Amino acid sequence: MEGPLMTSLPAPREIAPGITLVDTGYQRPGVAAAYVVRGSRSAAIVETATSLCAPRILDALATAGVGPDDVSHVVVTHVHLDHAGGAGWLARALPRAKVVVHPRGARHLVDPAKLVAGTAEVYGAEAFRRLYGEVVPVPAERVVEAPDGFTIDLGDRPLRALDAPGHARHHFVLHDPASRGFFTGDSFGLSYRVTDSAGGAFIFPTTTPVQLDPPALHATVDRMLAERPERMYLTHFGMVAGDVPALAAALHRCIDGHVRRARAAPAGPGRHAALVAALEEELWEERERQRSAAPRDVMRDFFREDLELNAQGLEVWLDSQARA
């Protein structure tokens, strides 16, 4: 199994007590994070990125002082392959670990064929192989379904799963009271560190296909806020802290902006291109509102694929609304 280019990636680092951030190297540095969470009795890996990223995560365990037998759980917030594609490889390498997944996503870890086919349809077969490698099934007896309120016990560190629809129906978030934080998957949007400024983090939604539900996404953000978190551990990318309610307010505004622009997009074959352009316009407006100092070319480079996928997800949502 070939992995991503490792030499250009930053070393894993502790970002909060007992939490190590791992840049998985998916696509490029600073795009997809995994986390090693340590308790008094065992450790968990939260998010796996793709199968090509598994060696990077396994190397990070040693950096964090965690042996393979010390990992009790591998957690995926949802089964999109940039979050869960490496679960099978990690299960092979970590003999004691159970793989924790939303009940709606469990069957896709055991038999990933449908998920692989759907992702390959979005990206194309060649790009799929380059981005995701071989997706290995997780043995059914190693899979643990995590309904709302399910708790992972690492010793003195309980991690509680909260059902988190909106981005996908097979999504949960993981509350870590010890750090007053959430592992958010894609439910708290995208925040790339290259777009940070003196005023803090820049945040933007992710509305990828195919289960977008904007009202549910708003409700999920508010449910996390009700726990008064101080830190959010995003998959894309890293920890955002400070004024979490202000970030949530920006995210709410952006979700509404995405919906408004989707509804205004012209029907017909030009809809997709018009929607991508409208979302890019929203990106620039939010750059001003959130006072990001990131150069436009850097921001355009990092968000190019996200704008494309966001438009695709909004189109699927629009079409479902039309059929309702």
Side-chain angles (χ1 to χ4, degrees):
M1 178 178 59
E2 295 181 359
L5 182 62
M6 300 297 178
T7 55
S8 62
L9 295 175
R13 60 189 178 90
E14 189 170 65
I15 55 171
I19 299 177
T20 297
L21 167 67
V22 185
D23 189 326
T24 64
Y26 173 68
Q27 296 191 345
R28 66 167 88 182
V31 169
Y35 299 90
V36 178
V37 186
R38 302 185 305 281
S40 62
R41 188 168 63 244
S42 65
I45 296 169
V46 182
E47 306 287 62
T48 73
T50 74
S51 60
L52 300 176
C53 303
R56 173 73 174 173
I57 297 173
L58 294 173
D59 288 345
L61 292 176
T63 301
V66 177
D69 288 337
D70 298 327
V71 179
S72 58
H73 298 84
V74 173
V75 185
V76 296
T77 60
H78 59 301
V79 297
H80 291 166
L81 291 180
D82 56 329
H83 297 254
W89 284 103
L90 291 177
R92 286 183 177 181
L94 305 170
R96 291 186 54 239
K98 298 291 187 179
V99 180
V100 183
V101 62
H102 192 284
R104 289 180 178 269
R107 62 189 176 94
H108 294 294
L109 294 186
V110 176
D111 180 6
K114 185 176 180 180
L115 192 63
V116 167
T119 307
E121 184 177 355
V122 171
Y123 286 95
E126 182 178 347
F128 178 89
R129 287 190 295 271
R130 175 174 53 83
L131 290 171
Y132 298 104
E134 181 187 2
V135 180
V136 175
V138 179
E141 66 273 14
R142 302 280 299 278
V143 174
V144 174
E145 297 183 10
D148 188 65
F150 180 87
T151 299
I152 298 168
D153 183 8
L154 303 180
D156 58 352
R157 188 166 212 151
L159 303 174
R160 184 166 60 101
L162 302 181
D163 190 29
H167 177 79
R169 290 192 293 272
H170 50 82
H171 201 304
F172 62 63
V173 295
L174 206 58
H175 186 215
D176 176 38
S179 68
R180 299 198 65 176
F182 273 97
F183 297 93
T184 65
D186 283 342
S187 293
F188 204 72
L190 310 164
S191 184
Y192 299 118
R193 303 284 59 81
V194 295
T195 62
D196 287 350
S197 65
F202 174 86
I203 203 157
F204 203 68
T206 171
T207 62
T208 53
V210 294
Q211 295 179 346
L212 173 66
D213 182 342
L217 188 53
H218 280 301
T220 287
V221 172
D222 286 340
R223 189 177 186 195
M224 288 187 283
L225 277 189
E227 300 291 339
R228 303 173 66 88
E230 296 178 355
R231 302 173 178 86
M232 308 298 259
Y233 307 110
L234 277 61
T235 306
H236 309 294
F237 172 85
M239 182 179 72
V240 295
D243 194 345
V244 172
L247 290 170
L251 191 57
H252 280 307
R253 181 178 66 236
C254 289
I255 295 167
D256 286 340
H258 273 49
V259 168
R260 183 173 62 254
R261 291 171 192 272
R263 286 176 169 157
R271 181 178 70 172
H272 180 75
L275 186 49
V276 171
L279 294 181
E280 183 172 351
E281 181 181 354
E282 182 173 331
L283 181 68
W284 303 137
E285 291 178 3
E286 284 300 321
R287 178 176 176 268
E288 298 302 316
R289 289 192 186 105
Q290 298 185 44
R291 300 180 181 178
S292 173
R296 285 172 70 102
D297 60 339
V298 171
M299 189 170 278
R300 181 182 291 110
D301 185 39
F302 259 77
F303 279 96
R304 182 181 291 110
E305 184 173 307
D306 295 316
L307 295 175
E308 172 70 25
L309 292 173
N310 279 14
Q312 290 181 26
L314 286 164
E315 288 184 284
V316 173
W317 173 76
L318 279 173
D319 292 341
S320 71
Q321 295 296 294
R323 292 192 299 269

